[in-house]
Amino acid sequence: MSQDLAHIRNFAIIAHIDHGKSTLADRMIQICGGLTDREMKEQVLDSMDLERERGITIKAQTVRLDYKAKSGETYQLNLMDTPGHVDFTYEVSRSLSACEGSLLLVDATQGVEAQTLANAYLAIGADHELVPVINKIDLGAAEPERVKEQIAEVVGLDTSGAVEISAKTGQGVEDVLEALIECLPAPTGDAAARLKALLVDSWYDSYLGVMILVRIKDGVLKKGMKIRMMASGTAYQVEQVGYFTPKPVQLSELGPGEIGFITAAIKTVADTKIGDTITDDKNPAAEALPGFKPSVPVVFCGLFPVDTGQFEDLRDSLAKLRLNDASFHYEAESSAALGLGFRCGFLGLLHLEIIQQRLEREFDLDLITTAPSVVYRIHTSKGAMMELHNPVDMPDPTQIVRIEEPWISTTIIVPDEYLGAVLTLCTDRRGEQTELTYVGARAMVRYRLPLNEVVFDFYDRLKSVSRGYASFDYELAGYQEGNLVRVSILVNSEPVDALSFVVHDSHSVSRGRAICEKLKGLVPKQLFKIAIQAAIGGKVIARTTVSAMRKDVTAKCYGGDVSRKRKLLDKQKKGKKKMRQFGNVEIPQSAFLAALKSDE
């Protein structure tokens, strides 16, 4: 029998990175008896190795807990643990749409930070009730009163009912559970209506196929019933229905307001579109639920297998990852030097790094990642227009009439004291200011910027010059002609395809020099000197040299005339010169990614 709606609470925990979301989730699971003490480990919901290693949440997770309130009644609590890092905002917005309320968790030592603000606005935009929770009050540097004032001032929340806790020691966590029941609204829904369920998330399980996380809005979802996905129009038979405690527990049905999982022998990823509405195949709902805005990739780069025989494995792995991560896009491409691979779109450089590591670990692939870039339009002297996805394919400069690059219009909201630094950053990146207004104590700036400049490390720089307080949003604003050149990187006179990039002429020397300097520290020393050069066409614009490893050939000379030592050293010099002509330099994989993340 489905639960009485008044006794259900669906909520998410939102916060900045490292403010203690996953630790609070641990304490709640322990208090409600979701796991025994023996099964408990720290950050139990961060199931991915990468999450545990980096101490960050990447995938939003869900848990159902039964809590016996002080009033003696038992409540069903559905908790969504969300990521805090800016690259994963998409995961957060999805989780929020499945809940009615949120816990806004703030570190009592740090106060309100950028993502606290961004996520609080996401929650307010999703019509959530918010309960402020001040964490880490057991620390000496904690200032709960100051932080409450900050929340009231910056986010505009009433903090008179804020709960002070220490998620680490468990102090005050029971009060949070009571506050949830008091302050957050119960879900609404009609069990007798036609089935409407929101597809919140989906992931691949090697035994059960595709598992789908659903939030039932109306109707009842039963085991054995035939369901239809409204966006893709495909129908399936439900095999299992259940929820997580965080261990999977099977049920016969899920009713309105409940969050749980279903499996239906779905084989391919493409059929489970995140944000889709699931309905009864025989008696479908009249209209679908409003889904999610699709995520917009910001950074594009090529992923190629080191061993060309792994191309098929890479394709399958990307398809499985795409299932777990709807914010990542890919399409096949080929390169003369690197063979067949994929052009992938990501939300940011951290996202790129995480996807690359997941491919290497979970699917055991060796990959080469090319420099992040955007799509250019090249008009040739023959009157043709070609799209350039990869800098390596750029035609000879003599055949090019003009190159157009994509521009974006961006909106940046930043506290007044960081405005100067943000304006300087945008101007350095060839930005054109279109508007400057004030929203309270915060400035709102609109800029037109070339996407090429944003892709490289604009987001990271913006966060650092504004101490993380700036929020940034953009949309594409068409193409515009620019004075662009391709810079090739040569190691020991051999071009390294994966490192070539297209850049505005005014920035070519500084960007070329930055990558050469970066590579100097990454390319392992050989027995001969290695020249690392950046060149535009045949003209070298920057150069560094990796000095040779030196073997002591004069060790066996004791005393005697200096000419004996000279003779041996000259002989060594000739050998090194010969080696330099024939020696080839292997660039380690780690050097590629590190060089691509070069700081300006």
Side-chain angles (χ1 to χ4, degrees):
M1 175 56 203
S2 19
Q3 181 94 4
D4 163 27
L5 282 174
H7 288 89
I8 300 178
R9 297 289 184 274
N10 298 323
F11 67 98
I13 305 180
I14 55 177
H16 192 78
I17 315 156
D18 277 347
H19 281 206
K21 291 182 295 298
S22 300
T23 311
L24 177 59
D26 289 353
R27 290 297 84 75
M28 289 181 164
I29 292 168
Q30 249 175 331
I31 288 173
C32 300
L35 289 173
T36 62
D37 287 347
R38 188 171 64 83
E39 293 166 316
M40 216 43 217
K41 55 182 179 182
E42 283 189 26
Q43 281 87 38
V44 69
L45 294 183
D46 290 345
S47 50
M48 226 186 292
D49 288 346
L50 263 175
E51 294 182 308
R52 306 194 66 77
E53 213 169 272
R54 287 168 171 253
I56 58 174
T57 304
I58 295 168
K59 287 291 293 172
Q61 298 278 3
T62 168
V63 183
R64 178 192 291 194
L65 302 168
D66 289 321
Y67 174 63
K68 193 164 183 182
K70 289 178 181 166
S71 60
E73 298 184 32
T74 302
Y75 286 84
Q76 179 197 112
L77 306 179
N78 289 307
L79 149 73
M80 302 286 257
D81 180 28
T82 61
H85 197 283
V86 61
D87 278 13
F88 305 112
T89 326
Y90 185 64
E91 287 277 331
V92 181
S93 65
R94 288 214 312 250
S95 308
L96 296 181
S97 61
C99 309
E100 283 80 34
S102 297
L103 297 180
L104 181 68
L105 191 65
V106 185
D107 183 331
T109 60
Q110 307 280 339
V112 174
E113 292 190 62
Q115 283 308 108
T116 315
L117 212 55
N119 290 340
Y121 288 151
L122 278 176
I124 293 165
D127 280 342
H128 273 209
E129 281 293 325
L130 291 174
V131 176
V133 179
I134 317 290
N135 188 18
K136 307 195 186 180
I137 57 164
D138 56 321
L139 297 179
E143 298 177 85
E145 292 311 313
R146 182 184 66 86
V147 173
K148 281 185 198 170
E149 279 170 31
Q150 234 184 347
I151 297 174
E153 200 178 303
V154 181
V155 187
L157 272 187
D158 172 24
T159 52
S160 55
V163 190
E164 297 184 15
I165 65 160
S166 161
K168 195 172 175 186
T169 63
Q171 175 192 347
V173 177
E174 289 246 9
D175 302 340
V176 176
L177 294 165
E178 290 292 330
L180 276 177
I181 290 162
E182 287 299 307
C183 309
L184 299 189
T188 54
D190 178 4
R194 295 174 178 184
L195 174 66
K196 262 191 190 177
L198 178 70
L199 198 161
V200 183
D201 200 358
S202 58
W203 62 95
Y204 193 80
D205 182 289
S206 42
Y207 299 108
L208 302 166
V210 179
M211 291 184 87
I212 300 175
L213 186 68
V214 291
R215 157 68 205 268
I216 314 289
K217 298 279 187 186
D218 286 319
V220 179
L221 181 62
K222 296 180 177 156
K223 190 172 173 173
M225 88 191 268
K226 199 166 187 198
I227 54 165
R228 185 191 307 167
M229 309 277 182
M230 289 182 84
S232 56
T234 49
Y236 299 98
Q237 188 99 16
V238 177
E239 290 180 347
Q240 288 185 3
V241 176
Y243 61 88
F244 295 105
T245 68
K247 293 180 298 193
V249 174
Q250 301 221 11
L251 286 173
S252 59
E253 60 179 51
L254 285 169
E258 296 193 288
I259 297 176
F261 69 85
I262 58 168
T263 64
I266 301 170
K267 298 284 186 295
T268 59
V269 179
D271 299 337
T272 55
K273 194 166 163 285
I274 304 285
D276 199 349
T277 304
I278 297 174
T279 188
D280 186 351
D281 189 44
K282 294 190 185 69
N283 185 12
E287 75 243 20
L289 295 162
F292 308 118
K293 260 195 339 209
S295 61
V296 186
V298 183
V299 178
F300 286 89
C301 79
L303 288 178
F304 295 88
V306 171
D307 169 11
T308 45
Q310 283 192 324
F311 174 72
E312 289 298 327
D313 299 347
L314 177 59
R315 176 187 290 159
D316 298 344
S317 310
L318 287 172
K320 285 178 186 165
L321 264 193
R322 174 87 177 86
L323 175 57
N324 275 343
D325 187 347
S327 49
F328 142 71
H329 301 257
Y330 67 94
E331 58 189 42
E333 75 162 350
S334 64
S335 140
L338 300 169
L340 292 171
F342 291 90
R343 191 100 196 131
C344 305
F346 306 94
L347 298 180
L349 285 173
L350 176 72
H351 192 203
L352 182 157
E353 206 175 314
I354 297 276
I355 292 278
Q356 191 202 358
Q357 289 192 347
R358 285 186 68 183
L359 284 168
E360 290 178 348
R361 287 187 181 190
E362 294 171 29
F363 304 99
D364 203 23
L365 295 167
D366 279 338
L367 299 173
I368 292 174
T369 316
T370 64
S373 72
V374 298
V375 180
Y376 299 97
R377 288 183 183 160
I378 294 181
H379 295 265
T380 62
S381 50
K382 292 176 180 164
M385 192 276 286
M386 62 176 278
E387 288 203 333
L388 180 76
H389 286 253
N390 194 334
V392 177
D393 305 330
M394 192 159 169
D396 190 277
T398 54
Q399 296 171 11
I400 298 173
V401 179
R402 67 178 191 279
I403 305 177
E404 293 175 348
E405 58 180 335
W407 280 62
I408 54 176
S409 41
T410 75
T411 307
I412 299 171
I413 299 177
V414 62
D416 199 27
E417 66 258 40
Y418 304 115
L419 180 63
V422 170
L423 295 182
T424 309
L425 173 70
C426 292
T427 313
D428 286 349
R429 297 300 171 96
R430 302 191 282 133
E432 299 165 2
Q433 188 178 326
T434 54
E435 194 186 325
L436 173 58
T437 51
Y438 276 85
V439 188
R442 302 162 79 205
M444 187 166 93
V445 207
R446 291 187 193 278
Y447 257 94
R448 274 175 52 82
L449 282 160
L451 186 56
N452 175 355
E453 299 288 342
V454 175
V455 151
F456 203 62
D457 59 352
F458 179 79
Y459 212 52
D460 304 343
R461 304 281 307 155
L462 178 68
K463 287 290 177 202
S464 66
V465 300
S466 67
R467 300 258 175 99
Y469 279 108
S471 62
F472 161 76
D473 191 42
Y474 77 91
E475 56 190 22
L476 287 168
Y479 278 74
Q480 192 174 314
E481 188 179 342
N483 180 15
L484 301 162
V485 292
R486 183 183 81 184
V487 178
S488 312
I489 301 291
L490 309 163
V491 174
N492 205 24
S493 308
E494 288 290 319
V496 181
D497 274 359
L499 291 178
S500 57
F501 55 92
V502 175
V503 66
H504 193 263
D505 193 33
S506 61
H507 290 182
S508 58
V509 176
S510 61
R511 186 75 64 79
R513 189 173 294 135
I515 287 204
C516 288
E517 284 297 335
K518 192 96 184 203
L519 274 175
K520 183 179 179 179
L522 297 166
V523 173
K525 285 188 171 188
Q526 305 287 341
L527 290 169
F528 50 91
K529 275 188 194 163
I530 305 168
I532 298 173
Q533 297 161 309
I536 298 173
K539 180 183 165 204
V540 174
I541 54 170
R543 167 184 171 136
T544 59
T545 307
V546 179
S547 57
M549 276 197 284
R550 183 162 174 204
K551 183 184 170 195
D552 190 1
V553 288
T554 60
K556 58 179 187 281
C557 291
Y558 306 112
D561 197 284
V562 73
S563 59
R564 291 178 62 203
K565 284 189 179 177
R566 274 266 55 90
K567 192 171 154 190
L568 289 166
L569 289 168
D570 287 346
K571 194 172 166 190
Q572 182 187 37
K573 209 173 184 179
K574 267 188 198 159
K576 286 196 176 184
K577 193 174 174 187
K578 190 172 175 187
M579 264 172 133
R580 188 155 83 239
Q581 286 170 341
F582 305 112
N584 67 343
V585 181
E586 284 277 314
I587 301 178
Q589 187 65 48
S590 56
F592 275 112
L593 200 68
L596 303 180
K597 286 170 68 183
S598 103
D599 299 317
E600 297 273 286

